[in-house]
Amino acid sequence: MKEGGHITLTLPPGSAASVDERGRKSLRRAWNQLPRCQRNLIILGITGFCVTVLLCLSGDQLLAASLKDADTKAEVAPYQMPLPNPHHHPGVVKDVPKDTAAASVSVDKKAPQAEALSDKFNELVAYGEANSAENVVRLPETVAAQGLPQAIAMAVALPPPDNNKEQDNGGIDILNNVEEPVAQDPTDPLSEGDQLEQAIKNPLTLGGVSFKQHLKKIKPLLAKGQHFHGATNERQSAVVAAFKHSWAGYKKYAWGHDNLKPISQYSHEWFGLGLTIIDSLDTMYIMGLDDEFKEARDWVEHSLRFDTKRDVNLFEVTIRVLGGLLSAYHLSGDTMFLSKAAELGNRLLPAFQSPSNIPYSDVNLGDLSAHSPKWSPDSSTSEVTTIQLEFRDLSRSTNISIYEQVAQKVNEKVHDLEKNHGLVPIFINANTGTFRNYATISLGARGDSYYEYLLKQWIQTGRKDNDNLILDYMQAVDGVLTQLMRRTPREHWVYIGELINGKDFKPKMDHLTCYLPGTLILGHQNGMPDSHLILARDLLDTCYQTYKMNPTNLAAEISYFALTEKDDQDIYVKPNDAHNLLRPEFVESLYYFYSLTGNRTYQDMGWTIFQAFETHAKVNAGYTSMGNVKNAQSTRLRDLMESFWMSETLKYFYLLFSDDRKEIDLEQWVFNSEGHPLPVYPLKT
Ligand code: DMJ
């Protein structure tokens, strides 16, 4: 029955009838004349033949046949370019998709969707060509906001071609789409691990090209720079004078070193990164100290080196150096600072190569390795959660995603961990990614800025509804209110205690915790409940009292609070805790209260404290830490001027005394934990 692929029906002799010769009538007559059994046999034969043919064809051929059939009838749909796997297809975007895509989407000019898609695609291809660095994934806000299909967005974010290598399309004919591309994660054009490796191996590059080349590509994204008018009143001028005095001592005795020892008139080295210069940059810019800013800027450009083989602390270097450089960049618009920040960001990345995504605490910037602290297997919780503002800003400023990605993973990891009413233990292990069992819970040392950065990151990223950051923040403040907040028995001072071993209440509060009123009022300004504001106000009063209660009008590092009336005093300081390191936290909170309410009482409170520093901390070569704030006649000068004095304490004094309480607009800027303002970004849709 089957001959050369043609089908022939053989009818009984004598009754054979050809369709061509006799027409339908005679064929039907002949068929009817056949005996019934013969007709049945013929039907059976035809059916059997058809079944055999069907069984011989493959499923694919059948589907192709049916689709081909459908194609000829249906309107042609716009062609979606297949997504090549960037690991197997270097350079395919640059060489292939523009024309292919354009041709493909214009297959049917009548389809309205196709034209719109074509426009968007071409727009993106143009953007992709201008930003062909390997790990660029972020789209310009305007484009991203249009909700463009991610598949197409990804196509333009693929690696640039390596002209020295032959094109390897992995056997897939993209032009003819003969084989399905390998499915890929649309958020990961290069793979995070590869991006990380690339940045670490080449710390002087961004996205595989030199800083200069990369910055040229992202020119439209670069910061424009801000203008400040300088001091406008006596109090501000007094702060500027204090800054100049500090700067002069540092310049004379410690230039290029981390800190000044103003008593011995010598330098103090910690990381060997000129911390005081970098921490002071934005303060000088805001104060309008142009000459000082210029000499600091030139030192950063010509003398700051990150390639020394020395361990540094990830958190400290991130908030002081990375934050300081980024802030200087945003305020001045000088891209030299951004290049330096990018190099530092690359050199800090080894910290994130841990099994858990929780970073190691220590990084060697020269040999590009990282490890846990020498004294413990654990990192401090506040340290690993107080790097995100800076790493995110580095990503958004450079349009290179890896920094934000690694920092965001820490957020996610910590979010998933079990907490005590939203409160976190102060130690976390970078290898296991878990909190240390029975670790203390505190809003002071090692815990403080975890809570600060939940709120500030949420503000930095445009205040998304129901974001984990703000949900965790609200839960944590509830935990503070229910688990840690107490009042003293007589004078009812509100304070925040600690939970030793995660459970036993201790009525101890670090001065560090006095950042909290400022953070709480900032949160309230951004929609948090009134209970936060009430706590903020009460705690601010207590913090002020920790200054006013001492004859120096300066606060001690740690204060204790009475639990019962048996204690002599409601607030007291133990001899070993009576030192003052020129810390900023209370002045910082006063600044937020003034900036957000306009109430000048906070300025007066700050002025009292500023004068106390003038009286007790000022020495010939600068300002110094003290050993004892409880005795105005014997403060026991300690001989260290930490860089946060110029980065934070003096900056917050200066802004607190400003006639313009929005000299830095808190709607547009968010201060990092070291007092460096960074821009607030619009919400990504
Ligand atoms: C600063 O380095 C930062 O404010 C940090 O978050 C906490 N400690 C000091 C200032 O006290």
Side-chain angles (χ1 to χ4, degrees):
M1 286 175 73
K2 205 173 171 183
E3 285 176 19
H6 295 279
I7 300 169
T8 310
L9 285 179
T10 308
L11 297 175
S15 63
S18 143
V19 174
D20 293 335
E21 288 166 11
R22 301 193 184 175
R24 282 180 189 208
K25 271 190 178 175
S26 55
L27 183 61
R28 186 176 297 139
R29 205 179 310 126
W31 174 255
N32 289 337
Q33 283 170 355
L34 285 174
R36 180 179 290 266
C37 62
Q38 227 171 4
R39 280 185 295 186
N40 285 347
L41 264 177
I42 291 168
I43 290 168
L44 196 68
I46 292 170
T47 309
F49 171 77
C50 290
V51 169
T52 310
V53 169
L54 285 173
L55 288 176
C56 289
L57 286 173
S58 75
D60 285 357
Q61 284 168 297
L62 279 173
L63 190 64
S66 81
L67 284 180
K68 195 177 168 212
D69 193 31
D71 272 351
T72 56
K73 290 167 197 155
E75 198 162 71
V76 181
Y79 170 67
Q80 291 267 348
M81 199 188 70
L83 279 179
N85 182 331
H87 304 295
H88 302 148
H89 314 280
V92 289
V93 165
K94 180 108 186 202
D95 288 352
V96 178
K98 187 172 180 181
D99 295 338
T100 311
S104 303
V105 292
S106 61
V107 167
D108 182 3
K109 285 281 184 195
K110 280 171 281 177
Q113 269 187 343
E115 270 185 39
L117 200 58
S118 172
D119 289 348
K120 282 181 180 175
F121 195 97
N122 291 334
E123 195 180 330
L124 275 170
V125 169
Y127 177 73
E129 283 184 341
N131 295 276
S132 58
E134 287 202 344
N135 43 5
V136 171
V137 292
R138 186 172 152 259
L139 300 171
E141 296 299 343
T142 47
V143 180
Q146 291 166 6
L148 203 63
Q150 211 165 3
I152 296 177
M154 283 299 303
V156 297
L158 289 171
D162 182 342
N163 293 330
N164 298 322
K165 284 186 191 163
E166 269 188 35
Q167 286 281 307
D168 170 19
N169 290 342
I172 299 173
D173 180 348
I174 290 170
L175 280 169
N176 296 311
N177 194 22
V178 286
E179 192 176 328
E180 285 294 318
V182 178
Q184 75 173 84
D185 177 354
T187 62
D188 184 12
L190 187 61
S191 112
E192 198 179 298
D194 289 350
Q195 290 180 54
L196 203 60
E197 288 288 341
Q198 185 199 47
I200 294 170
K201 272 193 197 139
N202 310 290
L204 292 172
T205 64
L206 273 170
V209 298
S210 72
F211 294 145
K212 201 172 164 194
Q213 278 175 288
H214 184 76
L215 295 183
K216 208 168 150 196
K217 285 180 189 169
I218 61 162
K219 210 170 171 203
L221 289 179
L222 296 175
K224 303 281 178 289
Q226 306 289 315
H227 175 73
F228 294 89
H229 40 60
T232 57
N233 60 50
E234 278 185 22
R235 287 179 177 180
Q236 273 197 318
S237 299
V239 180
V240 173
F243 184 94
K244 282 181 155 185
H245 180 69
S246 308
W247 185 250
Y250 170 76
K251 215 175 131 181
K252 190 163 176 191
Y253 300 112
W255 183 250
H257 298 281
D258 286 335
N259 298 311
L260 167 69
K261 291 169 73 119
I263 307 292
S264 54
Q265 303 188 335
Y266 201 66
S267 60
H268 168 260
E269 212 68 281
W270 191 10
F271 306 132
L273 294 172
L275 288 184
T276 297
I277 298 179
I278 302 168
D279 245 357
S280 301
L281 283 163
D282 55 2
T283 307
M284 295 188 278
Y285 194 85
I286 291 167
M287 289 179 173
L289 296 175
D290 297 344
D291 294 343
E292 289 84 352
F293 181 80
K294 169 87 173 57
E295 60 193 348
R297 183 234 174 261
D298 290 347
W299 182 87
V300 171
E301 181 174 25
H302 302 297
S303 305
L304 175 60
R305 295 190 67 101
F306 293 126
D307 56 0
T308 313
K309 292 191 175 175
R310 180 173 193 155
D311 282 355
V312 303
N313 176 280
L314 170 70
F315 156 76
E316 295 289 0
V317 169
T318 298
I319 63 168
R320 297 183 198 225
V321 185
L322 188 56
L325 291 169
L326 287 169
S327 190
Y329 158 67
H330 287 293
L331 296 182
S332 69
D334 185 339
T335 53
M336 183 277 295
F337 294 119
L338 184 56
S339 297
K340 288 284 181 183
E343 182 190 347
L344 177 59
N346 288 339
R347 290 181 182 279
L348 289 171
L349 287 176
F352 297 90
Q353 292 181 310
S354 75
S356 71
N357 295 323
I358 296 295
Y360 292 116
S361 67
D362 291 28
V363 196
N364 190 308
L365 297 179
D367 72 16
L368 301 164
S369 62
H371 56 84
S372 304
K374 293 217 167 75
W375 48 273
S376 156
D378 299 329
S379 303
S380 299
T381 304
S382 68
E383 293 194 357
V384 303
T385 52
T386 309
I387 49 175
Q388 284 73 14
L389 287 180
E390 298 80 359
F391 275 77
R392 180 178 293 109
D393 187 76
L394 181 58
S395 270
R396 300 206 178 185
S397 298
T398 58
N399 209 30
I400 296 289
S401 62
I402 186 65
Y403 316 104
E404 181 166 357
Q405 281 172 25
V406 292
Q408 176 60 22
K409 281 202 168 171
V410 185
N411 280 344
E412 287 162 14
K413 186 84 195 179
V414 175
H415 168 74
D416 287 342
L417 294 177
E418 199 181 325
K419 307 186 181 62
N420 181 344
H421 297 84
L423 306 171
V424 291
I426 60 173
F427 290 109
I428 189 165
N429 190 290
N431 288 315
T432 62
T434 55
F435 289 130
R436 185 192 291 180
N437 286 335
Y438 308 112
T440 293
I441 288 176
S442 169
L443 268 82
R446 306 190 188 285
D448 50 3
S449 43
Y450 161 71
Y451 308 94
E452 175 190 355
Y453 268 35
L454 287 176
L455 178 76
K456 288 184 172 176
Q457 285 192 74
W458 177 69
I459 292 173
Q460 181 193 36
T461 51
R463 299 178 295 189
K464 189 174 161 218
D465 285 348
N466 293 321
D467 194 44
N468 284 339
L469 290 164
I470 199 62
L471 296 177
D472 287 354
Y473 175 77
M474 291 176 79
Q475 208 194 358
V477 177
D478 275 354
V480 169
L481 286 163
T482 59
Q483 311 299 308
L484 302 179
M485 191 202 86
R486 295 272 205 288
R487 283 176 189 277
T488 61
R490 282 170 296 250
E491 292 155 26
H492 309 293
W493 297 112
V494 163
Y495 65 98
I496 309 298
E498 297 181 346
L499 295 179
I500 308 300
N501 298 328
K503 53 185 174 26
D504 301 327
F505 185 81
K506 186 174 182 181
K508 161 186 176 267
M509 187 169 89
D510 294 347
H511 180 273
L512 288 167
T513 307
C514 288
Y515 84 92
L516 189 60
T519 296
L520 288 170
I521 194 173
L522 179 65
H524 184 262
Q525 177 74 13
N526 285 281
M528 295 298 103
D530 288 349
S531 56
H532 293 207
L533 182 63
I534 294 165
L535 174 60
R537 192 198 55 199
D538 290 348
L539 192 58
L540 191 82
D541 287 345
T542 305
C543 287
Y544 190 49
Q545 180 63 13
T546 63
Y547 282 74
K548 291 292 287 173
M549 64 185 258
N550 295 314
T552 53
N553 274 350
L554 291 172
E557 178 73 357
I558 299 169
S559 299
Y560 281 83
F561 298 82
L563 283 172
T564 69
E565 291 191 14
K566 282 185 205 152
D567 293 304
D568 289 344
Q569 295 164 292
D570 267 26
I571 308 178
Y572 59 99
V573 174
K574 296 184 180 178
N576 283 347
D577 302 331
H579 48 288
N580 181 301
L581 306 181
L582 310 174
R583 286 197 192 277
E585 289 76 18
F586 178 60
V587 188
E588 170 186 348
S589 283
L590 286 177
Y591 159 69
Y592 281 104
F593 268 73
Y594 167 63
S595 182
L596 296 173
T597 66
N599 187 333
R600 291 185 177 266
T601 306
Y602 305 113
Q603 291 185 321
D604 296 340
M605 292 160 86
W607 184 242
T608 301
I609 292 165
F610 178 75
Q611 287 175 304
F613 279 121
E614 286 290 291
T615 306
H616 298 290
K618 188 173 181 180
V619 294
N620 284 343
Y623 290 76
T624 188
S625 51
M626 287 149 276
N628 183 17
V629 293
K630 297 202 304 182
N631 186 341
Q633 271 62 57
S634 172
T635 50
R636 289 197 269 118
L637 300 183
R638 269 199 167 181
D639 199 19
L640 189 62
M641 187 177 83
E642 282 252 23
S643 67
F644 52 68
W645 166 250
M646 299 170 83
S647 141
E648 291 190 79
T649 314
L650 291 178
K651 185 189 283 136
Y652 286 128
F653 271 133
Y654 180 84
L655 294 172
L656 170 64
F657 299 143
S658 179
D659 297 316
D660 175 8
R661 67 187 169 103
K662 295 188 178 177
E663 186 152 353
I664 299 260
D665 185 352
L666 293 172
E667 293 285 325
Q668 293 179 35
W669 298 90
V670 60
F671 285 89
N672 87 337
S673 198
E674 187 76 0
H676 299 302
L678 299 172
V680 166
Y681 290 95
L683 181 64
K684 277 187 182 177
T685 48

